[in-house]
Amino acid sequence: MEHQEKAPEGNLTKLMEFVLLDFADVPHLQKFLFGLFLLIYIIILMGNGIVFLITKLDPGLQTPMYFFLGNFSLLEICYVSVTLPRMLTGLGTQRRTISLAACATQMCFILTLGATECFLLAVMAYDRYAAICSPLHYPLVMNHKVCIQLVAGSWISGIPIQIGQTCQIFSLPFCGSNLINHFFCDILPMLKLACGDTFLHEILVFTVAVLFVLIPFLLILVSYSKIISTILKLPSATSRGKAFSTCSSHLMVVALFFGSAIVTYLRPKMQGSAGTDKVLSLFYTIVTPVFNPMIYSLRNKDVMMALRKWPGKHLRSLKK
């Protein structure tokens, strides 16, 4: 991380409002982008909503793996709803201003839900590790109480630190440009607008990123190294294929989310650009929620079976 000292605060007026530029640099594509992202938002809501519902209602999916998947789908809906509606408003009305309080609130939700996603993906990897590496102890290790505790911990454990980090960032004076070259109030673009020396704040951001992004990712890698080692020792090709199929969907989501998040928050500052940051942010805030239901449904026989029988089953129950 390269440190670059900002201009001193001077006598400039403290900013109370910002402008999210999102894709204002391509004015001829505003209507197209509005339609595209509206369609994406609808797909995310419908796809993840269906996965969430079938994991809660289908009797054949009442296992720890699908309990975690249901929570993950709900998380994706919450995550994308923090960013996309405001971006759609900007694209549709061309009014891109956001107050300091709204910006801080959005950042706090993004950071908290992002931390939850990191932890929940790590929990899902641990679930696969317990199921494949210790199948006899799996029902005891991943009982319903433990599952609830792991999910609750994933949702709430990041809240205090991310609220503190948001307060720390917005305690800085913003007194220069009010243009945020991003489609949401992310922590790195906000630091670029702050006056004075931000070196200690950048170090803190990097430390929190290591704690909430890198460590869960490393735990996932350790889990899957043990999982793969165990799978390769299975006697039959059928058993190996079935074990790999239960893990491949999760690995694809992990690669999409952590790949873009690690490059965004942990790469050297000198290698970054606003355009690159926006593209990478699209992956972990929008692309992952879009593909999550597709990856888990198309590559999972249990989910596909539940999807096929679910509409008819519930239509019959409504008629009764």
Side-chain angles (χ1 to χ4, degrees), residues 159-179:
I159 293 175
I161 293 177
Q162 299 300 1
I163 288 177
Q165 185 168 225
T166 302
C167 292
Q168 176 250 340
I169 293 297
F170 280 87
S171 66
L172 292 168
F174 298 100
C175 51
S177 171
N178 70 336
L179 304 179

Side-chain angles (χ1 to χ4, degrees), residues 2-185:
E2 182 182 316
H3 167 55
Q4 185 176 4
E5 188 167 337
K6 308 291 179 68
E9 183 177 349
N11 296 319
L12 297 175
T13 305
K14 185 175 180 181
L15 297 175
M16 297 301 293
E17 189 176 71
F18 299 96
V19 178
L20 287 166
L21 294 179
D22 54 68
F23 301 99
D25 53 338
V26 282
H28 56 290
L29 293 177
Q30 297 297 290
K31 290 182 179 179
F32 168 75
L33 289 173
F34 176 82
L36 175 65
F37 285 115
L38 178 60
L39 178 62
I40 288 172
Y41 189 42
I42 292 169
I43 290 171
I44 290 171
L45 294 180
M46 290 183 63
N48 286 282
I50 289 170
V51 172
F52 174 74
L53 286 175
I54 62 171
T55 57
K56 298 301 176 189
L57 300 176
D58 193 279
L61 300 180
Q62 302 309 304
T63 64
M65 182 172 77
Y66 296 113
F67 176 69
F68 296 135
L69 177 58
N71 274 273
F72 188 72
S73 295
L74 176 62
L75 172 63
E76 296 289 54
I77 291 171
C78 296
Y79 199 28
V80 79
S81 295
V82 177
T83 57
L84 264 182
R86 181 167 284 278
M87 184 169 73
L88 288 170
T89 301
L91 290 169
T93 66
Q94 301 302 305
R95 290 194 292 270
R96 294 181 162 89
T97 57
I98 182 170
S99 69
L100 186 111
C103 192
T105 302
Q106 186 186 54
M107 180 191 288
C108 187
F109 274 104
I110 282 287
L111 294 176
T112 302
L113 293 172
T116 299
E117 185 148 350
C118 293
F119 292 146
L120 197 51
L121 285 169
V123 166
M124 293 167 79
Y126 175 69
D127 172 66
R128 292 299 83 211
Y129 163 77
I132 293 171
C133 298
S134 303
L136 296 178
H137 297 101
Y138 180 68
L140 294 175
V141 173
M142 298 301 290
N143 61 61
H144 188 61
K145 182 180 178 182
V146 170
C147 291
I148 291 175
Q149 289 173 341
L150 288 171
V151 166
S154 298
W155 279 94
I156 67 175
S157 56
I159 293 175
I161 293 177
Q162 299 300 1
I163 288 177
Q165 185 168 225
T166 302
C167 292
Q168 176 250 340
I169 293 297
F170 280 87
S171 66
L172 292 168
F174 298 100
C175 51
S177 171
N178 70 336
L179 304 179
I180 304 172
N181 194 5
H182 214 294
F183 60 91
F184 63 90
C185 292

Side-chain angles (χ1 to χ4, degrees), residues 157-316:
S157 56
I159 293 175
I161 293 177
Q162 299 300 1
I163 288 177
Q165 185 168 225
T166 302
C167 292
Q168 176 250 340
I169 293 297
F170 280 87
S171 66
L172 292 168
F174 298 100
C175 51
S177 171
N178 70 336
L179 304 179
I180 304 172
N181 194 5
H182 214 294
F183 60 91
F184 63 90
C185 292
D186 200 7
I187 196 164
L188 297 179
M190 295 307 299
L191 276 175
K192 291 178 182 177
L193 299 184
C195 301
D197 190 354
T198 60
F199 178 66
L200 291 177
H201 298 85
E202 290 168 15
I203 292 296
L204 181 59
V205 169
F206 184 82
T207 303
V208 172
V210 169
L211 178 65
F212 285 91
V213 180
L214 190 58
I215 291 178
F217 179 65
L218 292 176
L219 290 174
I220 291 171
L221 291 183
V222 170
S223 296
Y224 273 104
S225 66
K226 294 183 178 295
I227 288 170
I228 292 169
S229 175
T230 302
I231 290 174
L232 293 175
K233 293 175 185 176
L234 294 175
S236 69
T238 305
S239 299
R240 290 195 295 271
K242 185 177 180 181
F244 271 123
S245 70
T246 63
C247 299
S248 58
S249 302
H250 182 247
L251 277 173
M252 293 170 100
V253 174
V254 166
L256 273 173
F257 180 79
F258 279 101
S260 53
I262 287 172
V263 174
T264 300
Y265 293 103
L266 295 175
R267 75 174 186 270
K269 187 178 175 184
M270 53 186 268
Q271 295 179 8
S273 70
T276 304
D277 288 344
K278 276 196 279 191
V279 171
L280 289 169
S281 298
L282 284 173
F283 273 90
Y284 65 83
T285 59
I286 295 175
V287 175
T288 302
V290 168
F291 285 105
N292 172 51
M294 299 179 197
I295 290 171
Y296 278 107
S297 59
L298 295 177
R299 298 182 62 86
N300 189 298
K301 292 181 181 178
D302 294 334
V303 174
M304 286 301 292
M305 287 177 61
L307 283 171
R308 288 192 189 104
K309 68 182 181 181
W310 190 65
K313 179 182 176 181
H314 286 276
L315 280 174
R316 287 193 297 270

